[in-house]
Coordinates of all heavy atoms in Angstrom, one line a residue:
R1 N 92.6 28.9 44.0 CA 91.9 30.1 44.5 C 91.1 30.7 43.4 O 89.9 31.1 43.6 CB 92.9 31.2 45.0 CG 92.2 32.4 45.5 CD 93.2 33.3 46.3 NE 94.2 33.9 45.5 CZ 94.5 35.2 45.6 NH1 94.0 36.0 46.6 NH2 95.5 35.7 44.9
F2 N 91.6 30.8 42.2 CA 90.8 31.4 41.1 C 89.5 30.6 40.9 O 88.4 31.2 40.7 CB 91.6 31.5 39.8 CG 90.8 31.9 38.6 CD1 90.7 33.3 38.3 CD2 90.1 31.0 37.8 CE1 89.9 33.7 37.2 CE2 89.3 31.4 36.7 CZ 89.2 32.8 36.4
Y3 N 89.6 29.3 40.8 CA 88.4 28.5 40.5 C 87.4 28.5 41.7 O 86.2 28.5 41.4 CB 88.9 27.0 40.3 CG 89.9 26.9 39.3 CD1 91.3 26.7 39.6 CD2 89.6 27.0 37.9 CE1 92.3 26.5 38.6 CE2 90.6 26.9 36.9 CZ 91.9 26.7 37.3 OH 92.9 26.6 36.3
T4 N 87.9 28.7 42.9 CA 87.0 28.9 44.0 C 86.2 30.2 43.9 O 85.0 30.2 44.1 CB 87.8 28.9 45.4 OG1 88.4 27.6 45.5 CG2 86.9 29.1 46.5
V5 N 87.0 31.3 43.6 CA 86.3 32.6 43.5 C 85.3 32.5 42.3 O 84.2 33.0 42.4 CB 87.3 33.7 43.3 CG1 86.6 35.0 43.0 CG2 88.2 33.8 44.6
F6 N 85.7 31.9 41.2 CA 84.8 31.9 40.1 C 83.5 31.1 40.4 O 82.4 31.5 40.0 CB 85.5 31.3 38.8 CG 84.5 31.1 37.7 CD1 84.1 32.2 37.0 CD2 83.9 29.9 37.5 CE1 83.1 32.1 36.0 CE2 82.9 29.8 36.5 CZ 82.6 30.9 35.7
G7 N 83.7 30.0 41.1 CA 82.5 29.2 41.5 C 81.5 30.0 42.3 O 80.3 29.9 42.0
L8 N 82.0 30.7 43.3 CA 81.2 31.5 44.1 C 80.5 32.7 43.3 O 79.3 33.0 43.5 CB 82.0 32.1 45.3 CG 82.6 31.1 46.2 CD1 83.5 31.8 47.2 CD2 81.5 30.4 47.0
F9 N 81.3 33.3 42.4 CA 80.8 34.4 41.5 C 79.7 33.9 40.6 O 78.7 34.5 40.5 CB 82.1 34.8 40.7 CG 81.8 36.0 39.8 CD1 81.6 37.2 40.2 CD2 81.8 35.7 38.4 CE1 81.4 38.3 39.3 CE2 81.7 36.8 37.5 CZ 81.5 38.1 38.0
R10 N 79.9 32.7 40.0 CA 78.9 32.1 39.1 C 77.7 31.8 39.9 O 76.5 32.0 39.4 CB 79.5 30.9 38.4 CG 78.5 30.2 37.5 CD 79.2 28.9 37.0 NE 78.3 28.1 36.2 CZ 77.5 27.2 36.7 NH1 77.5 27.0 38.0 NH2 76.8 26.4 35.9
L11 N 77.8 31.2 41.1 CA 76.7 30.8 41.9 C 75.9 32.1 42.3 O 74.6 32.1 42.2 CB 77.1 30.1 43.2 CG 76.0 29.7 44.2 CD1 74.9 28.9 43.5 CD2 76.5 29.0 45.4
A12 N 76.6 33.1 42.6 CA 75.9 34.4 42.9 C 75.1 34.9 41.7 O 74.0 35.4 41.8 CB 76.9 35.5 43.3
G13 N 75.7 34.7 40.5 CA 75.0 35.1 39.3 C 73.7 34.3 39.0 O 72.7 34.8 38.7
I14 N 73.8 33.0 39.3 CA 72.6 32.1 39.1 C 71.5 32.5 40.1 O 70.4 32.7 39.7 CB 73.0 30.6 39.3 CG1 73.9 30.2 38.2 CG2 71.8 29.8 39.4 CD1 74.5 28.8 38.4
L15 N 71.9 32.7 41.4 CA 70.9 33.0 42.4 C 70.3 34.4 42.2 O 69.1 34.6 42.4 CB 71.5 32.9 43.8 CG 72.0 31.5 44.2 CD1 72.6 31.5 45.6 CD2 70.9 30.5 44.1
Q16 N 71.2 35.4 41.8 CA 70.7 36.7 41.6 C 69.7 36.8 40.4 O 68.8 37.6 40.5 CB 71.9 37.7 41.4 CG 71.5 39.1 41.2 CD 70.7 39.7 42.4 OE1 70.9 39.2 43.5 NE2 69.9 40.7 42.2
Q17 N 70.0 36.0 39.3 CA 69.0 36.0 38.2 C 67.6 35.5 38.7 O 66.6 36.1 38.3 CB 69.5 35.2 37.1 CG 70.7 35.8 36.3 CD 71.2 34.9 35.2 OE1 71.7 35.4 34.2 NE2 71.1 33.6 35.3
I18 N 67.7 34.5 39.5 CA 66.4 34.0 40.1 C 65.8 35.0 41.0 O 64.6 35.3 41.0 CB 66.6 32.6 40.8 CG1 67.1 31.6 39.8 CG2 65.4 32.1 41.5 CD1 67.7 30.3 40.4
Y19 N 66.6 35.6 41.9 CA 66.1 36.5 42.9 C 65.5 37.8 42.2 O 64.5 38.3 42.7 CB 67.2 36.9 43.9 CG 66.8 38.0 44.9 CD1 65.8 37.7 45.8 CD2 67.3 39.3 44.8 CE1 65.4 38.6 46.7 CE2 66.9 40.2 45.7 CZ 65.9 39.9 46.7 OH 65.5 40.8 47.6
A20 N 66.1 38.2 41.1 CA 65.6 39.4 40.4 C 64.2 39.1 39.9 O 63.4 40.0 39.9 CB 66.6 39.7 39.3
R21 N 64.0 37.9 39.4 CA 62.6 37.6 39.0 C 61.6 37.7 40.2 O 60.5 38.1 40.0 CB 62.6 36.2 38.3 CG 63.3 36.1 37.0 CD 63.4 34.7 36.5 NE 62.1 34.1 36.3 CZ 61.6 33.0 36.8 NH1 62.4 32.3 37.6 NH2 60.4 32.6 36.6
F22 N 62.0 37.2 41.3 CA 61.2 37.3 42.5 C 61.0 38.7 42.9 O 59.9 39.2 43.2 CB 61.8 36.5 43.7 CG 61.0 36.5 44.9 CD1 59.9 35.7 45.2 CD2 61.3 37.5 45.9 CE1 59.2 35.8 46.3 CE2 60.6 37.5 47.1 CZ 59.5 36.7 47.3
F23 N 62.1 39.5 43.0 CA 62.1 40.9 43.4 C 61.1 41.7 42.5 O 60.5 42.6 43.0 CB 63.5 41.5 43.3 CG 63.7 42.9 43.8 CD1 63.9 43.1 45.2 CD2 63.6 43.9 43.0 CE1 64.1 44.4 45.7 CE2 63.8 45.2 43.4 CZ 64.0 45.5 44.8
Q24 N 61.1 41.4 41.2 CA 60.3 42.1 40.3 C 58.9 41.6 40.1 O 58.1 42.0 39.3 CB 61.0 42.1 38.9 CG 62.3 42.9 38.9 CD 63.2 42.5 37.8 OE1 62.8 41.7 36.9 NE2 64.4 43.0 37.8
G25 N 58.5 40.5 40.9 CA 57.2 40.0 40.9 C 56.9 39.1 39.8 O 55.7 38.8 39.5
Q26 N 57.9 38.6 39.1 CA 57.7 37.7 38.0 C 57.5 36.2 38.4 O 57.0 35.4 37.6 CB 58.9 37.8 37.0 CG 59.0 39.1 36.4 CD 60.3 39.3 35.6 OE1 61.1 38.4 35.6 NE2 60.5 40.5 35.0
T27 N 57.8 35.9 39.7 CA 57.5 34.6 40.3 C 57.1 34.8 41.7 O 57.6 35.8 42.4 CB 58.7 33.6 40.2 OG1 58.4 32.4 40.9 CG2 60.0 34.2 40.8
Q28 N 56.2 34.0 42.2 CA 55.7 34.1 43.6 C 56.4 33.0 44.5 O 56.0 32.9 45.7 CB 54.2 34.0 43.6 CG 53.5 35.0 42.7 CD 53.8 36.4 43.0 OE1 53.8 36.8 44.2 NE2 54.0 37.2 42.0
D29 N 57.3 32.3 44.0 CA 57.9 31.2 44.7 C 58.6 31.7 45.9 O 59.7 32.3 45.8 CB 58.8 30.3 43.8 CG 59.1 29.0 44.4 OD1 59.2 28.9 45.7 OD2 59.3 28.0 43.7
K30 N 58.1 31.4 47.1 CA 58.7 32.0 48.4 C 60.1 31.4 48.7 O 60.8 32.0 49.5 CB 57.7 31.8 49.5 CG 56.5 32.7 49.4 CD 55.6 32.5 50.6 CE 54.4 33.5 50.7 NZ 53.6 33.4 49.4
R31 N 60.4 30.3 48.0 CA 61.8 29.8 48.2 C 62.9 30.8 47.8 O 64.0 30.7 48.3 CB 62.0 28.5 47.4 CG 61.1 27.3 47.8 CD 61.4 26.1 46.9 NE 61.2 26.5 45.5 CZ 61.7 25.8 44.5 NH1 62.6 24.8 44.7 NH2 61.4 26.1 43.2
F32 N 62.5 31.7 46.9 CA 63.5 32.6 46.4 C 63.6 33.9 47.2 O 64.5 34.7 46.9 CB 63.2 33.0 44.9 CG 63.0 31.7 44.1 CD1 62.1 31.8 43.0 CD2 63.6 30.5 44.3 CE1 61.9 30.7 42.2 CE2 63.4 29.4 43.5 CZ 62.5 29.5 42.4
A33 N 62.8 34.1 48.2 CA 62.8 35.4 48.9 C 64.1 35.7 49.6 O 64.5 36.9 49.7 CB 61.6 35.3 49.9
G34 N 64.8 34.7 50.1 CA 66.1 34.9 50.8 C 67.3 34.8 50.0 O 68.4 34.9 50.5
F35 N 67.1 34.7 48.6 CA 68.3 34.6 47.8 C 69.2 35.8 47.8 O 70.4 35.7 47.6 CB 67.9 34.2 46.4 CG 67.6 32.8 46.1 CD1 67.4 31.9 47.2 CD2 67.5 32.2 44.9 CE1 67.1 30.6 47.0 CE2 67.3 30.9 44.7 CZ 67.1 30.0 45.7
G36 N 68.6 37.0 48.0 CA 69.4 38.2 48.0 C 70.4 38.2 49.2 O 71.5 38.6 49.0

């Protein structure tokens, strides 16, 4: 269970870092629009 939760938590961190760049207009790649 711990490793499952951590994996999801870490994936959320990876996607959120990418999404934040899209949200702030630092990238225009439309693939990232739904990451939030």
